[in-house]
Each structure stands twice: as structure tokens, then as C-alpha cells.
Amino acid sequence: SKEGRPFRFSGLKSSAELDALVAEYQEDGYLPVSVNVAELSNGKLYSAIFRKLPGFWKVFWGRTPGEYQSLVGEQVALGYRVWKVQGYASSGRYAVVFHRE
């Protein structure tokens, strides 16, 4: 885009490292709009794209199917909608991004 759309990309991180980046980037107004889980031979690594966009954004990962369903119910009741979801670990775990205006 000619307008420019600033973003930050986390690169591949451990779950704890990505958790810390979510908190750090949020202080600068960058919120997670996408999350990805890479299943590698040495374990799972996580990455995210952060943007300064309107509304409220939340990201979760590592949820079982049952936890994911409960989480969706809770967040929808709070006015959020599912923005992006990724199943991994043979659909045994889920990562999800929620958005609310």
C-alpha cells in the first residue's frame, strides 16, 4: 500500500517469549492480529503479526478443543468475534485471535 501500514512481526518465539512480546508491543499500541504455530522437529514455536488497528484484540494459543469452544463462548458473550483460528497438533490444540470494535 502506498499509504504504509506499520506492523511488527515477532519471528519464531517460544510461548513465553511471545507472551512477553504481546505485553510489550501492546504498550506501543500494537496488537496481535495474526498468530501462527510452527510445529518443528525441536518443538513448537510461535509467531505473530502486530498492527495498530482500531478496536480491541486478544490472542490465545495452546487450547484444547474443549478449552477453545469454552473460550469462544466466553469471548463472544463479551462482544468479541473470532478473527483467525489455527488448529495444530493434529487438531489437538488451537490458536485464536479475537476482535471487538
Side-chain angles (χ1 to χ4, degrees), residues 38-82:
E39 295 184 274
L40 305 172
S41 60
N42 59 341
K44 293 177 189 66
L45 291 177
Y46 306 82
S47 63
I49 296 173
F50 299 81
R51 303 263 322 267
K52 285 187 178 183
L53 294 174
F56 302 92
W57 299 81
K58 293 182 179 182
V59 62
F60 300 87
W61 57 87
R63 300 307 195 261
T64 66
E67 290 169 336
Y68 167 74
Q69 288 298 325
S70 293
L71 184 62
V72 169
E74 292 167 9
Q75 296 305 312
V76 167
L78 294 172
Y80 286 86
R81 64 186 176 96
V82 173

Side-chain angles (χ1 to χ4, degrees), residues 2-98:
K2 292 181 182 177
E3 298 171 18
R5 298 179 185 212
F7 70 93
R8 292 183 180 175
F9 175 66
S10 69
L12 293 173
K13 304 287 182 194
S14 71
S15 180
E17 290 171 327
L18 185 57
D19 244 352
L21 276 180
V22 168
E24 177 185 332
Y25 288 173
Q26 186 173 4
E27 292 175 8
D28 294 332
Y30 286 87
L31 300 168
V33 298
S34 182
V35 64
N36 186 62
V37 182
E39 295 184 274
L40 305 172
S41 60
N42 59 341
K44 293 177 189 66
L45 291 177
Y46 306 82
S47 63
I49 296 173
F50 299 81
R51 303 263 322 267
K52 285 187 178 183
L53 294 174
F56 302 92
W57 299 81
K58 293 182 179 182
V59 62
F60 300 87
W61 57 87
R63 300 307 195 261
T64 66
E67 290 169 336
Y68 167 74
Q69 288 298 325
S70 293
L71 184 62
V72 169
E74 292 167 9
Q75 296 305 312
V76 167
L78 294 172
Y80 286 86
R81 64 186 176 96
V82 173
W83 180 262
K84 181 184 178 198
V85 65
Q86 178 189 3
Y88 60 99
S90 299
S91 297
R93 297 284 175 189
Y94 288 87
V96 59
V97 177
F98 293 97

